[in-house]
Amino acid sequence: MDRLPQEIYNEIGSYFADSDEQSRYVLSSPLAAKRSVLSTISRPWQRAFEKQTFRKLRLKSTDLGKFDKIVTGNRRRFVRSIQYIIILPEYPLDARGSFERGADRQANDKAFTNAIKGLFATLGSWDDERPGKDSRYSIKLEIEAVYSPTDDSASDSRGAPRRIERLEAVEPGNCEEASRRDLQDRRFQYSYIQLLNPDELPVVPAITSFNTNVMKRTLAHRTAVDIAAKLPNLRNGNWLMDDAELRYPALRREGRRQLAGAVRAVLPNAAALQTLHICMSQDLLWNHAWVPADLTVDGETSDSLGRAIRESTANLKRLRNLTVTGCLDESLLWPNFGTNLVEPLFWQRLERLDIQFTMTTPSGGWYFRARRPGDEVNLPIPARSTSLMPPGHGYSEKEDAAAALRYSDSENQRLSGASMCLFRWVPDDEKITPLIEAFGRACAQMPCLKVASLTTMIHVSLEIGLARQVPTRSPWAIWYAAPGEMFPQQFQLDPAYRVDVEKRRVLWDVKDWQPSPKLRSTMRAIGRERYGDDIREKHVDFWASVMKPRELSRFRCSYW
């Protein structure tokens, strides 16, 4: 048996991989235990099974020492993916009744930084003997979770965390309830984990893909970018950031300002970058009477963050796919919009551009309005300061303790625009036209462009029976595809997205809104220089064709 080629052993060993390719804790998976037994048969079998065992690892920061000792020699060549779980310090149980303060955030930032630095020191040492940025490895790193063991210490008999679904304020003088106060994950909802002294982080040539997720513990807007600065061979970045703080816009504005600075400092040097997703997640607002905060920098009328992303990625020669999601305006897509200045070319190698914007603008407006002026609802909106910071940020310990007792979910939702008031059904031409025109002009000067989209989610009314209407979500989008290119797979469920594939196509999935002739002309110019004048332009409705029948079926099933 030992005379067989190693490839045959490897093929047999591949059948012992997890069938669903789920991640596993190092040394703790049952399948991993079986492989460890089988790998003792001989050296060829050891290499075959270890190739599966070490290919995809789920690693806690508390196990870095074991990882460094076990993953050595040839085992390093097998590592393709690391899902990293960062453990923060524990804290006293009675602290769960108060918001995190500066000292708490500093301790968490330090633990997070040490966890990243420890992993990077280990992975960076794998290429110590190789010159410059060269690496023999190609590893995907994903920060899967960041948490303290104390976060979920209040558990039921089965060990599952018990979350108080509706937390209300403590009545003044109720000492017993005050002593049992437990904010749970609300304790750290205004805390954002930051990387301290990012310049001191070791360089890691081995990491070629780096992802972050939206987690219970929130990373600061800039943290992923700061980490990426030390990854010279990074080809793929997928960074999800929480940009949904509505009650305290000053906190959100500062996060976006810091992100813009990090983007300008890091991304122009990301020479190996091929695919980049910057996703600043924000829930769809169901209160159309809400007055969005102005998120722009003082003295500016446009979004400095969008401008930073465009300018910092403009000349990346290997960048092929770019997705940006969040509260955006035309600054992301066109410099000095509204002027006749001759602008430098940008994104000349880009093949796919996906812009997903929210219903609100960075300058504090809405892209959509009521159908008629009389339909607009002006509800009494609670007054809020645009400069006020949340509890735990610059207040005394006594003030923070009082804020924790006063806190209630109902008040927080009211002050965050969580109530339902729907009337913005159609685009506001004055606000949305510059965004679409900037999108079209940007795409028209991109010679390699294959597929581009400008999309958002809006509300539509779903009729259930004769007298019942239910609000639901629908995409609102403008698409372009070059000849021979297909739209994303989920949209191909609508036959309208699958026809005329051999032609240039512009699709308007904009309900009953009619774009101006100037906007149509701008969109028809995309790809004309390369493919000629022939183009197919049409209005489509993915919601009516695909989503509406599904929603009706779902409601009927729940009704009957």
Side-chain angles (χ1 to χ4, degrees), residues 292-304:
D294 186 350
L295 302 175
T296 59
V297 177
D298 292 342
E300 297 191 8
T301 57
S302 59
D303 183 28
S304 60

Side-chain angles (χ1 to χ4, degrees), residues 20 24-25 37 90 110 140 166 171 224 239 265 272 289 318 326 328 351 361 374 376 384 422 464 472 489 506 524:
D20 56 356
R24 47 196 174 270
Y25 284 103
V37 174
E90 297 189 42
K110 184 177 180 180
K140 173 185 176 182
R166 176 66 71 174
E171 294 292 335
W239 307 328
R318 297 187 181 181
L328 308 167
E351 296 177 353
T361 71
E376 190 163 331
R384 73 187 194 281
L422 304 179
I464 309 293
T472 186
Q489 189 170 1
V506 170
R524 285 196 296 265

Side-chain angles (χ1 to χ4, degrees), residues 442-461:
C443 293
Q445 55 91 55
M446 295 160 55
C448 300
L449 188 65
K450 295 180 178 179
V451 177
S453 59
L454 179 69
T455 66
T456 190
M457 294 296 293
I458 65 170
H459 300 95
V460 293
S461 184

Side-chain angles (χ1 to χ4, degrees), residues 45-62:
W45 284 115
Q46 180 184 8
R47 287 193 290 270
F49 288 119
E50 286 188 348
K51 185 176 182 180
Q52 303 301 323
T53 301
F54 293 99
R55 182 189 53 194
K56 191 174 185 180
L57 303 177
R58 194 162 180 241
L59 175 66
K60 288 186 177 180
S61 58
T62 49

